[in-house]
Amino acid sequence: MSKITVWSADGPKQAIQAKETEVGPLKADEVEVKVDFCGLCHSDYSMWTNEWGFTAYPFVGGHEAVGTVSAIGELVEHLKVGQKVGVGWVSRSNLNSPESLSGDHNLSAGNEMTIVGRYGGFADTVRCQSVWAIPLPDSLDIKSAGPLFCGGITVFNPMVQFDLKPTDKVAVIGIGGLGHLAIQFLNKWGCEVTAFTSSPDKSDEAKEFGAHHTVSSRDSEEWKSLRGKFDFVISTVAVDMDWKAMTATLAPKGRLHFVGVVPSELGLRVGDLMSQQRSISSSPVGAPQVIATMLEFCARHDIRPQIEVFPMSKINEAMTHLEDGKARYRIVLENS
Ligand SMILES: NC(=O)c1ccc[n+]([C@@H]2O[C@H](COP(=O)([O-])OP(=O)(O)OC[C@H]3O[C@@H](n4cnc5c(N)ncnc54)[C@H](OP(=O)(O)O)[C@@H]3O)[C@@H](O)[C@H]2O)c1
Ligand SMILES: [Zn+2]
């Protein structure tokens, strides 16, 4: 038994406070990571507020943790104590499931999630099955690397899964934690990038991230000039929009892909898709090897999350900052 400090809430939207808790022995296939920095994802906010109805309290969020391996289980051979790693949304998979055996660990049934029914990375240490602790390339800036482990991989993975081409015209809806990384990835991938935003003041920065065009996400009248344009649209927003009008911006064989958790049903008809062979899809995070590939891509192209750092002790203020839509563009909590 050892004691760790976690930042925990006893109920929906209740104050998040530091407390000491006992953790059992490290499992043979696990690693323990001393958390230096942990990103704050919108999903931490949704879990804290129990928006999705399955939060277990006391709740400890944090699934964009980076730090140093502080202990390894007896079966772990590929990681060493002292190595820099990151831990994202998934903390354990059945390695013998057909999905894991095909390299799609993120799709494996029964995956354990880092902040669901267990303690996440808003803590001084976090544990996971060793396959889900991904080594950081040496050249990556550790302070800003955390958000790649959920926000980053969630938007990078669809680019790989759907074989996006450098000649594709792509749109990103919402310039937040996920969206500002999607713009950077897609630009370096070679695509023509359009950013849909509800915040006119983000337009200049969106262009610095690599957007070639920006459009209002609030006014679907503005979208009429974009009809039939996009090969791929990725939605990172957690709000309802006029999805029928958005579907009309897809080129023949175009795809509208959801990674943001939209609250209502989409209100689309098959006829909106059929005549142009359009598709609708969605995906969760990404598999360990795709995360490693993304980290390499970031190191090569000097892609990094734009972060605002709060001390872990100011986690409640950080939640309010995110709730108010003020984060530019990802909050990272730093352990002192
Ligand atoms: N699929 C997955 O595996 C996965 C992984 C991580 C997160 N998520 C989900 O992805 C979503 C985004 O997460 P995030 O961390 O990127 O959140 P975030 O940083 O809060 O960004 C969301 C963005 O949505 C836009 N937005 C907010 N309110 C809006 C409104 N009323 N109308 C139009 N646009 C609005 C804003 O961009 P603009 O200011 O540019 O409009 C905002 O920056 C959440 O639903 C989260 O739970 C899913
Ligand atoms: Zn997340």
Side-chain angles (χ1 to χ4, degrees):
M1 287 286 195
S2 54
K3 280 197 169 165
I4 64 166
T5 300
V6 295
W7 289 85
S8 123
D10 287 333
K13 283 201 109 172
Q14 290 197 14
I16 303 171
Q17 291 170 324
K19 70 168 189 194
E20 283 207 329
T21 188
E22 299 268 350
V23 284
L26 193 66
K27 291 184 186 142
D29 63 350
E30 276 183 340
V31 296
E32 183 171 84
V33 180
K34 178 184 156 295
V35 178
D36 293 326
F37 302 97
C38 192
L40 175 55
C41 176
H42 200 102
S43 303
D44 292 308
Y45 176 82
S46 299
M47 286 292 290
W48 176 50
T49 57
N50 198 21
E51 191 180 316
W52 300 329
F54 58 83
T55 306
Y57 297 93
F59 167 68
V60 178
H63 58 279
E64 292 184 339
V66 288
T68 310
V69 175
S70 48
I72 57 172
E74 62 202 35
L75 292 177
V76 178
E77 291 177 346
H78 68 293
L79 293 172
K80 292 193 194 73
V81 169
Q83 196 168 353
K84 303 274 186 224
V85 296
V87 180
W89 175 255
V90 183
S91 50
R92 174 172 291 278
S93 299
N94 171 3
L95 300 183
N96 291 312
S97 71
E99 296 78 20
S100 297
L101 290 169
S102 310
D104 293 323
H105 303 62
N106 56 316
L107 306 181
S108 182
N111 270 348
E112 176 188 271
M113 273 68 123
T114 306
I115 64 166
V116 182
R118 45 156 282 155
Y119 296 145
F122 299 153
D124 55 5
T125 63
V126 68
R127 291 177 175 187
C128 69
Q129 188 184 32
S130 64
V131 72
W132 282 106
I134 319 296
L136 287 180
D138 288 340
S139 60
L140 222 59
D141 169 46
I142 185 163
K143 198 168 187 169
S144 61
L148 296 171
F149 284 83
C150 179
I153 187 57
T154 298
V155 293
F156 185 84
N157 185 49
M159 295 164 55
V160 175
Q161 300 303 328
F162 299 114
D163 277 330
L164 259 60
K165 297 187 198 66
T167 48
D168 282 345
K169 294 186 171 64
V170 177
V172 176
I173 312 173
I175 312 173
L178 272 58
H180 91 289
L181 286 167
I183 294 169
Q184 295 188 61
F185 290 145
L186 289 160
N187 178 287
K188 295 293 184 198
W189 207 259
C191 303
E192 183 188 301
V193 186
T194 300
F196 283 78
T197 181
S198 63
S199 312
D201 61 306
K202 289 184 182 174
S203 191
D204 287 346
E205 273 175 317
K207 290 192 171 145
E208 280 164 32
F209 292 135
H212 301 95
H213 317 282
T214 58
V215 185
S216 166
S217 63
R218 290 211 191 266
D219 181 8
S220 53
E221 280 296 304
E222 260 195 52
W223 308 352
K224 283 188 178 155
S225 62
L226 302 170
R227 275 193 183 149
K229 173 171 171 130
F230 298 117
D231 300 295
F232 190 82
V233 176
I234 184 163
S235 170
T236 75
V237 296
V239 294
D240 296 325
M241 284 192 181
D242 184 349
W243 300 118
K244 189 177 163 68
M246 187 58 76
T247 306
T249 70
L250 292 176
K253 298 191 181 176
R255 176 180 295 275
L256 171 57
H257 189 74
F258 289 90
V259 289
V261 184
V262 173
S264 308
E265 292 181 11
L266 299 179
L268 290 171
R269 300 158 72 117
V270 169
D272 299 327
L273 306 173
M274 189 185 281
S275 60
Q276 301 267 280
Q277 199 183 312
R278 292 163 168 152
S279 307
I280 303 285
S281 52
S282 179
S283 60
V285 287
Q289 184 50 47
V290 187
I291 298 177
T293 303
M294 170 197 66
L295 296 175
E296 221 183 286
F297 188 75
C298 291
R300 182 166 352 117
H301 293 289
D302 195 25
I303 293 172
R304 58 179 76 191
Q306 183 163 317
I307 59 167
E308 290 181 86
V309 181
F310 284 63
M312 193 67 85
S313 56
K314 298 266 191 242
I315 187 169
N316 294 288
E317 287 89 329
M319 281 290 192
T320 306
H321 195 64
L322 176 68
E323 181 179 36
D324 293 345
K326 291 183 179 160
R328 296 290 184 278
Y329 283 81
R330 190 55 127 200
I331 296 165
V332 166
L333 297 159
E334 179 172 19
N335 262 323
S336 49

